[in-house]
Amino acid sequence: MSNVSLPKKARRVIPGFHLSLGYTMLYVSLLVLLPLSMIFIHTMSLSWTEFIAIITDPRAVASYKVSFGTALVAGIINAIFGTIIAWVLVRYQFPFKRIIDGLVDLPFALPTAVAGIALTSLYAPNGWIGQFFEFKIAFSPLGIIIALTFIGLPFVVRTVQPVLQNISAEVEEASASLGANRLQTFRKILLPELAPAILTGFSLAFARALGEYGSVVFIAGNMPMKTEITPLIIMTKLEQYDYAGATAIAVVMLVTSFVLLFIINFIQWLTNRRFVH
């Protein structure tokens, strides 16, 4: 008889595909799908006319512009400077590097209210930094952008950093030895590898900034039609027990966020396809 043994079935760390999949679906349904569905259920108590009146209220529309505009600008700033910070932390050696690397994660651990109070004390007209500027930083959209940049920076840095660590410095040296300048090396060698991570970090920072509340309400000043953010309007309606009105505005934020994230993921897919081919 032949001693040839049949190949054993590949082992999995977590056994039972059907059991694991069922647990995953249950977990996602209870913590994600069910809460989101309640937003739409509460909104359905409104008539279509009432729903349109709430979401197109001038105060609400102004808050959309502030929230989405400042989140977009903060996301772009983080995408640029977060990539530069990740590059410095990976490619260079300097004193206190580990301390600076750890400080990047500070916005994750710092309570958002503490961050808002600290930034307001710095950038207020009589603050340590704000007193040197003739224009207002705190209590303006600029102050909101600063707060959102602060809380969104770690998302870009921690997303790009591992990708940079996997790109050997010898690749850049080889490119230079073949006659490529720095711009060509970045565009042809580094950017194809970094682009997906940068877009992912941008989308995470943008999504985080869009729903930020604690660090913004202190530095924004919360002036209706000027510096009032959409999450604050939702909280105000909840405090007034206007749950239907709050969920109506939440639906606008949710749907718009899904559309924007879909567009970002589509751009990321096109970028990957372009660089791969």
Side-chain angles (χ1 to χ4, degrees), residues 89 101-105 108 153-162:
L89 292 175
D101 190 22
L103 288 176
V104 172
D105 294 325
F108 283 148
L153 179 65
F155 291 97
V156 179
V157 176
R158 294 313 184 205
T159 304
V160 176
Q161 197 172 7

Side-chain angles (χ1 to χ4, degrees), residues 122-138 140 142 146:
L122 284 175
Y123 294 104
N126 59 345
W128 289 359
I129 298 177
Q131 62 181 330
F132 298 107
F133 294 88
E134 296 181 356
F135 55 89
K136 287 199 305 183
I137 298 179
S140 71
L142 179 58
I146 292 175

Side-chain angles (χ1 to χ4, degrees), residues 73-180:
V73 174
I76 294 173
I77 294 174
N78 280 326
I80 296 172
F81 291 97
T83 302
I84 295 175
I85 293 173
W87 180 275
V88 171
L89 292 175
V90 172
R91 287 289 191 261
Y92 299 105
Q93 298 295 328
F94 50 89
F96 308 110
K97 176 181 176 180
R98 291 185 179 274
I99 296 177
I100 296 176
D101 190 22
L103 288 176
V104 172
D105 294 325
L106 184 62
F108 283 148
L110 195 66
T112 55
V114 175
I117 294 173
L119 292 172
T120 304
S121 64
L122 284 175
Y123 294 104
N126 59 345
W128 289 359
I129 298 177
Q131 62 181 330
F132 298 107
F133 294 88
E134 296 181 356
F135 55 89
K136 287 199 305 183
I137 298 179
F139 317 126
S140 71
L142 179 58
I144 299 175
I145 292 173
I146 292 175
L148 297 181
T149 303
F150 173 78
I151 58 100
L153 179 65
F155 291 97
V156 179
V157 176
R158 294 313 184 205
T159 304
V160 176
Q161 197 172 7
V163 178
L164 274 173
Q165 290 173 341
N166 291 330
I167 301 176
S168 175
E170 285 77 9
V171 175
E172 303 168 43
E173 297 173 0
S175 175
S177 66
L178 293 174

